[in-house]
Amino acid sequence: MKAPTGRRRAVAKALTALLPLAPYADMEKIRADAGSVHMKTLPPTIAVWLATVAHIRHAYTDYEKLLAEGCDRDSARFFVIEQTNVVLTRWRATRLLDADDEDD
């Protein structure tokens, strides 16, 4: 295993601060996504937030079902805000998703 870089430490710190009660498996997936190449130019807190919302959307909501039924991406995202916030609340997130948020 590589020694932690400043970026990895910052992502880990942001993740712990945002999601104090998230399950380990979910945190590991979010950590990996927040550290991916397409997130490298973003501040760690933003990368963690975007990775969190995307992970919850795909793993815990009807998002993919809505897309499969022909719903467009923006509408599907709107329809799963409440489900996303339920998970964020369960994980004691310090932030919730707002309909006006511009996310991934």
Side-chain angles (χ1 to χ4, degrees):
M1 185 164 118
K2 294 184 211 174
T5 64
R7 170 81 180 177
R8 282 202 298 268
R9 280 192 301 271
V11 165
K13 184 177 178 181
L15 186 55
T16 301
L18 176 66
L19 306 170
L21 295 181
Y24 180 78
D26 292 295
M27 288 183 79
E28 286 304 297
K29 174 71 171 114
I30 293 165
R31 182 187 331 272
D33 291 347
S36 66
V37 173
H38 72 282
M39 298 274 208
K40 291 283 188 197
T41 60
L42 299 172
T45 54
I46 293 174
V48 165
W49 174 248
L50 293 177
T52 298
V53 171
H55 173 69
I56 292 172
R57 187 183 289 138
H58 289 279
Y60 291 94
T61 73
D62 295 330
Y63 180 71
E64 291 187 21
K65 179 182 173 194
L66 290 168
L67 292 177
E69 292 172 351
C71 199
D72 68 83
R73 188 179 80 161
D74 290 338
S75 296
R77 288 177 176 194
F78 176 79
F79 290 129
V80 300
I81 289 173
E82 187 174 331
Q83 290 175 304
T84 302
N85 283 336
V86 165
V87 175
L88 287 167
T89 300
R90 186 177 334 131
W91 292 353
R92 299 295 188 260
T94 56
R95 176 179 176 185
L96 295 178
L97 189 59
D98 184 274
D100 297 326
D101 281 348
E102 291 293 324
D103 61 330
D104 66 323

